[in-house]
Amino acid sequence: MPAPTLNPQMAIILDRMKAAELPSYATMSAPDARAEQERRNAYWNENPLEIARVEEFTVPGPFGARRMRLYDNAPSTATRPALLYLHGGGWVIGSIDSHDVIARELARRSDCIVAAYDYSLAPEHPFPQPLEDCIAGFDWLIENGRKLGIDADRIAVGGDSAGGGLTLGLAMHQRDTGGVKPSSLVLIYPTASARLDRESFSRFGGGEYVLSMELMHWFWNHHAPDPAQRADTRIELVDAVLNGLPPIYMAIAEFDPLRDEGDLLLDRLKETDTPVEYHIWRGVTHACLPMIRDLDPCDTFFQQIADFLRRCHSRR
């Protein structure tokens, strides 16, 4: 197999990061890492897309009130489909602010009302609390969506990285408890395993491609500090029962330490009755999607996701 080729714009972004000599989040406390991540992501969120309606409020959660922000680019008297979006950040960092650009792009392109949820983070809220919080956020949206203009029968769930893993865990919970299922799922370079010994970690996990093995250890030690927890199939998703889930869009970045676990998750999904649409995003790294202002392929990536959501909602 030929060696992958880094997209030239991606290479420039990586060179810029290297020149900035940014310290790893793994050298910081969780609160300091959160503040630093917000500072770094501010660049990708500058000059935000205009969305017709952006509304933020708090919703009750199992660990206290949490922020939810609605992005609606086509307000209407009729109810419309929605996407509950769960941000990435290794269950420790990230917020609806750091991932604002993703929510805006999807709201503009997909005809969905996007509801970004600021779920509880580790280490203050370790596994399984972030997942439980996301489930509560989904249930709240089901129960209250109509007054927000949302069709409760057409609520998709999606997320990037840790948010992708939480998305799949949420859907499994709804299936297993007989709850309302999401209409579809969007998994963007998802975390699907706590094992860090796969070959893609050796190839891409040294720190030169945004996400490092060191940082993944730091995330896991905050999120699931007891190694015995990590065999739980809500974490080790590649070992979970994956039948009976809604249609899935899954994308894996080519230069990503998580690539092998993503490929294994795809193999597991192919053994089931769950429909899956798979894309490998060539030439880019983990956490690339917010970089649309400097990385042209992201335009295609966003459109893939939006088109998938439109197709799924048109069938219902």
Side-chain angles (χ1 to χ4, degrees):
M1 181 182 296
T5 301
L6 198 62
N7 177 280
Q9 292 176 318
M10 188 81 248
I12 290 170
I13 293 169
L14 295 176
D15 286 345
R16 201 163 67 210
M17 291 179 177
K18 183 178 180 180
E21 298 183 344
L22 300 171
S24 170
Y25 298 130
T27 65
M28 306 175 193
S29 68
D32 287 348
R34 289 173 196 146
E36 178 64 10
Q37 196 253 7
E38 295 290 342
R39 186 188 70 78
R40 295 180 191 179
N41 272 40
Y43 174 82
W44 305 116
N45 289 290
E46 287 178 353
N47 303 314
L49 280 174
E50 289 291 334
I51 300 296
R53 169 190 169 214
V54 178
E55 179 183 357
E56 185 174 314
F57 45 87
T58 59
V59 302
F63 313 107
R66 306 300 303 174
R67 291 190 299 160
M68 182 177 285
R69 185 181 296 155
L70 253 60
Y71 303 79
D72 185 355
N73 203 41
S76 169
T77 55
T79 57
R80 302 201 355 264
L83 169 68
L84 176 65
Y85 194 82
L86 308 175
H87 66 80
W91 316 274
V92 180
I93 61 177
S95 72
I96 61 176
D97 299 320
S98 65
H99 287 62
D100 180 73
V101 59
I102 294 179
R104 287 177 182 271
E105 286 285 349
L106 292 176
R108 183 173 69 88
R109 295 167 185 258
S110 70
D111 195 36
C112 287
I113 297 173
V114 176
Y117 188 54
D118 218 26
Y119 57 87
S120 301
L121 298 175
E124 298 88 345
H125 298 281
F127 173 82
Q129 293 182 20
L131 175 59
E132 292 169 349
D133 199 353
C134 292
I135 292 166
F138 179 73
D139 287 342
W140 186 92
L141 207 56
I142 292 289
E143 295 168 9
N144 297 276
R146 181 166 293 276
K147 63 187 179 185
L148 300 171
I150 291 171
D151 179 352
D153 293 326
R154 293 187 294 167
I155 301 179
V157 181
D160 61 286
S161 195
L166 291 169
T167 293
L168 191 53
L170 183 158
M172 289 161 46
H173 175 271
Q174 296 300 105
R175 175 200 62 194
D176 294 344
T177 59
V180 176
K181 291 182 184 180
S183 56
S184 57
L185 307 177
V186 174
L187 312 181
I188 302 165
Y189 33 73
T191 54
S193 173
R195 283 181 50 191
L196 306 181
D197 59 353
R198 295 186 172 92
E199 194 266 344
S200 58
F201 270 98
S202 299
R203 290 185 74 187
F204 306 121
E208 63 272 41
Y209 298 114
V210 180
L211 182 63
S212 68
M213 185 182 297
E214 175 194 40
L215 186 55
M216 283 304 301
H217 277 293
W218 186 81
F219 284 146
W220 281 116
N221 288 338
H222 283 78
H223 179 55
D226 179 359
Q229 293 178 304
R230 301 178 192 178
D232 191 304
T233 52
R234 292 171 294 177
I235 284 178
E236 200 65 19
L237 294 165
V238 295
D239 291 338
V241 175
L242 300 172
N243 286 291
L245 295 175
I248 293 174
Y249 170 98
M250 185 169 71
I252 304 298
E254 191 172 26
F255 287 80
D256 191 344
L258 305 188
R259 179 175 171 179
D260 285 355
E261 65 196 65
D263 287 343
L264 180 57
L265 180 62
L266 174 67
D267 290 342
R268 296 287 187 264
L269 284 165
K270 286 179 176 178
E271 297 168 358
T272 74
D273 60 356
T274 297
V276 59
E277 178 181 316
Y278 171 76
H279 297 268
I280 182 161
W281 290 353
R282 299 287 181 187
V284 296
T285 71
H286 194 84
C288 67
L289 193 58
M291 302 176 185
I292 185 169
R293 66 182 288 185
D294 292 343
L295 189 58
D296 291 344
C298 293
D299 182 75
T300 298
F301 304 158
F302 274 115
Q303 200 58 48
Q304 285 176 359
I305 298 166
D307 291 346
F308 168 82
L309 290 168
R310 285 178 180 273
R311 288 195 300 273
C312 289
H313 287 143
S314 69
R315 298 188 193 115
R316 296 176 71 88

